[in-house]
Amino acid sequence: MAITVKNIIPAKQAEATQTTQYTATNCKTIIDKFTVTNTSGGNVTISVNLVVAAASPSDSNLIVDTRTVAPQETYTCPELVGHVLNVDGYISTIASAATSLTISATGREIT
């Protein structure tokens, strides 16, 4: 068994459409940190789904539900830390406004 610590979602702007941000390809992944920073001048919401292989984002896998992030706030998403994605599971996000929230995540891939 090999464990690789990596930046599973390099810092990027969250999209305003449901978007796959990371897939646990040929590994299990433990989420260690997930941050959302609002770089805009107004409140913006973020939703995060942890989806099992071959499924779609839905209420049944919604972990962060329209969390409001205030202007210039960084939210550390404690509800995501420690979750495990099994093989081909993925992280999907949707923001209420494009180019307003910077997301980033680190984790451990286990092969």
Side-chain angles (χ1 to χ4, degrees):
M1 174 172 34
I3 298 173
T4 305
V5 177
K6 70 183 288 188
N7 194 357
I8 59 175
I9 303 173
K12 65 174 298 242
Q13 295 286 294
E15 296 83 358
T17 57
Q18 193 75 46
T19 303
T20 299
Q21 303 295 351
Y22 169 80
T23 302
T25 305
N26 298 318
C27 65
K28 284 185 172 183
T29 301
I30 301 169
I31 300 169
D32 291 326
K33 188 157 188 129
F34 192 109
T35 59
V36 181
T37 302
N38 184 344
T39 58
S40 76
N43 288 339
V44 182
T45 64
I46 184 84
S47 294
V48 182
N49 296 73
L50 300 182
V51 187
V52 298
S56 298
S58 67
D59 287 346
S60 67
N61 51 43
L62 183 63
I63 306 300
V64 177
D65 185 8
T66 57
R67 167 57 160 86
T68 299
V69 184
Q72 308 311 309
E73 175 188 7
T74 297
Y75 181 62
T76 59
C77 301
E79 57 273 69
L80 294 173
V81 174
H83 276 275
V84 177
L85 294 169
N86 287 314
V87 174
D88 294 328
Y90 62 96
I91 300 170
S92 183
T93 66
I94 184 168
S96 63
T99 68
S100 296
L101 299 176
T102 300
I103 60 173
S104 181
T106 57
R108 290 169 280 162
E109 292 183 336
I110 303 167
T111 56

